Structures are given as structure tokens and as C-alpha cells.
Amino acid sequence: MDTRILGWLLKYKVSRSLPIDEHGNPVYALEFYGFESDVETPSMYAPEFANHMKSSLGEDSFSPFEKEKWRDTGIYIIRSFMNHLEKIRSRISEHQKVFDILFKRKGVVYGGFIRDAISGDVSDDIDVLVSDLYVQDFYFDLLADGYTESYDAKNGTFNFTKEGELRVEVSECEEDPDKEPLLSTAPADFDVNLLGYNGSLFYNVSNPDYPVHLITKNIDAMETIHISPTVYEERKEKVLKRGYKIK
């Protein structure tokens, strides 16, 4: 192999034959074998990156010796990455219509809904990010579907409610979703509240370069890292009531 190529070059694998986890859910994994164990690619791009490398190089580019060597010395596993996505998609399917509207307008659901979908808790609302390029169309779509609009002056967000459906809290952002991930401008409070999903990308809406699996690992362990130097007591209490231990 050409050792000038850094990163995860050997193998991409999504396996459905792995054992179930402690909750009885099938465990999925993305595996990257390389020789630089401290090199990471942002986990939200992992599937695309791995597919690109596999198609570019091909598994036949590596000898059995190389495979074993790099399996032992440089393995990068995003454990349960696909399992977490499956949980999120399953929860989304329970309220498919509002998410169809959101993803049609290239928005992102983030925060508590993603956290709760992974942990198995129940959410009664969703926080969403929508680019100012599409937000007016998103508002019109919700109103046409029977939602009622209100404005939250404290948080500077528009809220939409409909009987029997999740309450939708909308934050606008400036990014163009066709060119870059949407980012939250709200102060980050706890890491477990920073995950977002737009129907294809699963990433940290505060810092897209921060590996997703470090946050999902905390959610699985019911632990969280305090991000903001100042945090509203009500947010802290919400996290504690959910059963999380603040590290």
C-alpha cells in the first residue's frame, strides 16, 4: 500500500450479523482499518468517506498481512453508529409527515428529540434548524398542514402546534444547506443536546468536526459534559431529571 495515503483506507463494513446489545437491539458498526490510530474523519461523513475510499482503492489493494497488521495497530470503530441512526429514524417514522416537511425544506432536527430517540425516552416537541433561504416555505407548509403559529420572545423562536402532533420550535440560521451543514447559534449547554439529523447527515450542530460517537457514547452511559461556562438552571434541572450524570 502507498503509505503516503493517510486515514482510513482499507475496509468499509456495515454488518447486520453482529450480536445484540444489552437492550436487545441489533448492534451495527462502521469499521475502518488503517495504520494511523489517532487519525479521525468526522463521523458524520464516515459512510461517504469509506465508500469513496473503498471504490477508489478496492479491497484487493491490500495483502492479508497488511490487513492483519492494520487491524491490530490502527482500528477506528464507530460502535453502534448505524444502530443509533436506526433508533432516530424509527422515532421519526412515528411523526413522519412533519419530518417530511422539514427535510423537504432542508432543515435539521436537533437537541432533545435526537437524544431521547437514542436513549428511548419520549419527547413531546422538536427543535429544528432551517436556513433563512427556506424558512418561509417551511412556515407556509406547516400552516397549510394545520399548525398554529406563535412567537417565543424569550428565545426568539417561532413555535408551531397541532393537536396530536409534536410541538415544533424553529430556529433560523444563515448557512446554505446545499453547501454546508446548518449550525445552531444558541449557546451550547450539554453535549447530549447537540446532535442533529437532516435525513442523511448525523452530526454535532455546534461543531460538525466533533465526532458524533463521543456524544452517543455519553447518551448510552447516561452521562453528559457541561459545555457552556454559564448554563440556565432550568436546563441543568432538565438534564438531571432525565437521569443524566453531569461530568
Side-chain angles (χ1 to χ4, degrees):
M1 189 192 97
D2 185 348
T3 55
R4 292 173 299 175
I5 303 174
L6 297 177
W8 308 104
L9 308 180
L10 177 59
K11 186 176 182 182
Y12 168 71
K13 175 184 178 183
V14 178
S15 173
R16 290 180 177 267
S17 60
L18 297 174
I20 61 174
D21 65 16
E22 63 270 26
H23 304 295
N25 299 311
V27 176
Y28 295 65
L30 296 180
E31 296 181 353
F32 299 85
Y33 302 100
F35 54 91
E36 291 285 339
S37 59
D38 59 340
V39 176
E40 296 183 352
T41 183
S43 53
M44 75 170 187
Y45 295 118
E48 294 85 350
F49 178 83
N51 279 327
H52 169 73
M53 298 314 303
K54 181 178 179 181
S55 62
S56 298
L57 297 177
E59 293 183 24
D60 293 338
S61 302
F62 305 92
S63 69
F65 172 77
E66 288 174 321
K67 291 182 181 181
E68 284 303 315
K69 178 182 177 182
W70 292 320
R71 177 190 292 269
D72 293 337
T73 61
I75 183 169
Y76 182 73
I77 300 176
I78 307 175
R79 178 165 170 74
S80 298
F81 186 83
M82 295 302 292
N83 188 38
H84 290 131
L85 278 181
E86 188 170 277
K87 289 181 178 180
I88 294 168
R89 289 167 177 161
S90 176
R91 186 65 62 84
I92 284 174
S93 69
E94 297 173 9
H95 306 276
Q96 192 64 55
K97 190 167 185 179
V98 68
F99 285 101
D100 286 343
I101 294 173
L102 175 66
F103 297 151
K104 175 184 177 182
R105 300 307 178 186
K106 304 185 179 184
V108 176
V109 55
Y110 75 103
F113 179 87
I114 300 295
R115 177 201 66 215
D116 294 345
I118 293 173
S119 67
D121 290 329
V122 177
S123 297
D124 57 8
D125 61 4
I126 56 174
D127 297 300
V128 303
L129 291 171
V130 183
S131 169
D132 54 14
L133 298 173
Y134 296 96
V135 73
Q136 291 302 321
D137 290 331
F138 179 62
Y139 291 158
F140 290 144
D141 290 344
L142 289 178
L143 293 173
D145 194 51
Y147 281 81
T148 300
E149 176 185 357
S150 62
Y151 181 70
D152 184 342
K154 178 182 177 181
N155 296 315
T157 58
F158 284 95
N159 297 333
F160 293 81
T161 57
K162 180 181 177 180
E163 186 175 354
E165 296 293 340
L166 297 170
R167 182 174 65 86
V168 182
E169 183 172 320
V170 186
S171 296
E172 300 181 21
C173 56
E174 297 179 352
E175 290 81 17
D176 182 346
D178 294 316
K179 298 179 180 179
E180 58 189 330
L182 302 185
L183 301 178
S184 172
T185 58
D189 50 10
F190 296 96
D191 66 335
V192 296
N193 294 331
L194 299 180
L195 294 178
Y197 180 64
N198 69 356
S200 59
L201 291 182
F202 181 33
Y203 67 102
N204 181 331
V205 297
S206 179
N207 178 9
D209 292 327
Y210 188 83
V212 166
H213 74 282
L214 297 181
I215 300 178
T216 58
K217 181 180 179 181
N218 280 345
I219 295 175
D220 288 338
M222 295 300 290
E223 297 178 339
T224 185
I225 297 173
H226 178 203
I227 304 295
S228 176
T230 58
V231 62
Y232 299 113
E233 276 302 312
E234 60 185 272
R235 293 188 175 224
K236 178 180 177 181
E237 288 303 315
K238 285 182 179 179
V239 168
L240 293 175
K241 285 181 179 179
R242 289 286 186 181
Y244 286 88
K245 177 182 177 181
I246 300 176
K247 296 196 289 186

